[in-house]
């Protein structure tokens, strides 16, 4: 491994307090040439305007988050979700990223049918996969930690994600390997190898697992090195599986958001070099 920042991608949510121009300027100053973006701030700034801003700065977009939320039972709600995902694909293409991250959706209100919810995800991907591929965009299913299965994502393991993804061509549907969500799973190493064999590792993301979790566990991700995750070990696994793409640091943490953005960015870079290289 080369101890530099060449493959480091800064996910926009890690320094949520920054505007897109501030993010761009900060990354240029820090020598970081890759970012992962989120739809809401990009839409607020303007998709084409964002694309121009980053292109002029020489910064590439490694992923766009997020599409998904496919599990609704109501036909009108499902149709709206599909329309929104087609819009997300178009936005990803406009930003010149080939990866749209999917948070697949939780159980509909009153439902306990996990299998049915997962089948509705596959149904949606059957429609969206060809649409995305025509635009040069891959759909990347992100398994989320099981604590999110009820309300955010019924896909909790890489194995479950691959069981869905493998129904489709690899250039249409793959998976996200996010250390925060899978570090606990002793089956994950084998599933990473499985994903690599099929060419389905579309994104690799880092965040640490820290306890106690805060109220509102969504913002409980830790800075690299503050928790339980062995980042070098996970990097070795994905690289052994053939992945040589960007390594995206995506941390949702209110303490980081309250600090000076440039200070946080410098810390992210230093921690990446210390713990993931």
């Amino acid at each position: 491994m080369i101890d530099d920042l060449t493959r480091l991608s800064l996910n926009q949510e890690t320094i949520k307090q920054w505007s897109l121009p501030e993010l761009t300027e900060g990354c240029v100053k820090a020598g970081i040439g890759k970012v992962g973006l989120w739809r809401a701030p990009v839409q607020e700034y303007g998709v084409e305007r964002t694309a121009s801003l980053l292109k002029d700065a020489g910064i590439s977009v490694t992923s766009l988050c997020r599409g998904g939320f496919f599990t609704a039972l109501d036909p009108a709600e499902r149709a709206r979700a599909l329309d929104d995902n087609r819009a997300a694909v178009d936005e990803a293409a406009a930003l010149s990223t080939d990866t749209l991250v999917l948070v697949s959706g939780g159980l509909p209100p009153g439902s306990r049918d996990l299998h049915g919810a997962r089948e509705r995800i596959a149904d949606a991907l059957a429609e969206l996969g060809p649409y995305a591929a025509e635009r040069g965009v891959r759909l990347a299913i992100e398994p989320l930690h099981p604590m999110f299965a009820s309300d955010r994502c019924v896909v909790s393991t890489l194995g479950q994600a691959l069981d869905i993804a493998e129904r489709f061509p690899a250039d249409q549907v793959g998976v996200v390997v996010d250390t925060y969500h899978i570090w606990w799973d002793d089956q994950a190493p084998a599933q990473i190898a499985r994903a690599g064999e099929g060419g389905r590792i579309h994104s690799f993301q880092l965040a640490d697992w820290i306890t106690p979790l805060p109220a509102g566990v969504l913002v409980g991700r830790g800075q690299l090195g503050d928790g339980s995750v062995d980042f070098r070990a996970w990097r070795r696994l994905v690289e052994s599986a053939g992945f040589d793409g960007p390594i995206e640091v995506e941390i949702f943490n209110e303490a980081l958001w309250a600090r000076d953005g440039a200070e946080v960015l410098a810390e992210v870079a230093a921690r990446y070099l210390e713990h993931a290289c």
Side-chain angles (χ1 to χ4, degrees):
M1 300 176 187
I2 299 173
D3 288 356
D4 63 24
L5 303 178
T6 303
R7 292 175 62 188
L8 174 61
S9 173
L10 178 70
N11 188 279
Q12 184 175 16
E13 285 291 284
T14 303
I15 310 181
K16 187 177 182 178
Q17 62 270 40
W18 267 356
S19 67
L20 272 161
E22 289 171 329
L23 176 73
T24 303
E25 182 182 2
C27 285
V28 169
K29 288 181 178 178
I32 295 171
K34 300 177 177 63
V35 296
L37 298 180
W38 279 67
R39 292 181 69 199
V42 168
Q43 289 170 348
E44 183 178 352
Y45 190 75
V47 176
E48 298 296 340
R49 191 179 174 202
T50 300
S52 295
L53 174 72
L54 294 172
K55 181 179 179 181
D56 291 347
I59 294 175
S60 61
V61 181
T62 57
S63 71
L64 179 65
C65 195
R66 64 184 186 240
F69 290 90
F70 301 127
T71 55
L73 291 166
D74 178 69
E77 190 175 348
R78 285 182 58 75
R80 287 193 295 272
L82 288 170
D83 286 344
D84 184 61
N85 276 271
R86 281 186 280 267
V89 168
D90 294 342
E91 292 163 14
L95 294 165
S96 299
T97 180
D98 63 359
T99 303
L100 176 64
V101 174
L102 304 179
V103 176
S104 298
L107 287 171
S111 174
R112 296 177 175 83
D113 182 7
L114 284 167
H115 175 75
R118 291 174 185 143
E119 286 302 305
R120 289 192 293 280
I121 295 167
D123 291 344
L125 293 175
E127 292 193 44
L128 293 170
Y131 182 91
E134 289 172 0
R135 290 153 180 81
V137 176
R138 307 173 302 179
L139 305 175
I141 303 171
E142 181 172 13
L144 268 59
H145 189 280
M147 66 182 172
F148 296 113
S150 64
D151 63 340
R152 300 190 70 80
C153 188
V154 296
V155 180
S156 301
T157 68
L158 276 174
Q160 292 168 355
L162 287 166
D163 286 345
I164 296 172
E166 287 171 351
R167 303 186 195 187
F168 309 99
D171 64 346
Q172 292 185 14
V173 185
V175 298
V176 179
V177 177
D178 186 326
T179 59
Y180 178 77
H181 293 299
I182 68 166
W183 73 275
W184 57 275
D185 183 2
D186 62 358
Q187 298 302 309
Q191 298 304 321
I192 288 173
R194 173 185 169 190
E197 288 174 2
R200 294 184 187 271
I201 302 177
H202 291 349
S203 179
F204 179 40
Q205 296 182 334
L206 308 183
D208 217 336
W209 181 274
I210 54 174
T211 50
L213 294 173
V217 292
L218 188 64
V219 295
R221 293 176 174 229
Q223 174 64 279
L224 308 188
D226 283 352
S228 305
V229 179
D230 184 344
F231 295 105
R232 287 197 185 94
W234 289 104
R235 179 170 174 173
R236 285 194 295 269
L237 285 169
V238 297
E239 291 181 344
S240 294
F243 180 82
D244 59 1
I247 301 172
E248 196 170 303
V249 175
E250 182 188 60
I251 305 171
F252 312 152
N253 186 297
E254 291 181 343
L256 293 184
W257 296 338
R259 290 169 54 192
D260 174 74
E263 179 184 283
V264 174
L265 179 54
E267 183 177 277
V268 166
R271 295 292 189 93
Y272 170 82
L273 293 173
E274 180 181 0
H275 296 286
C277 290

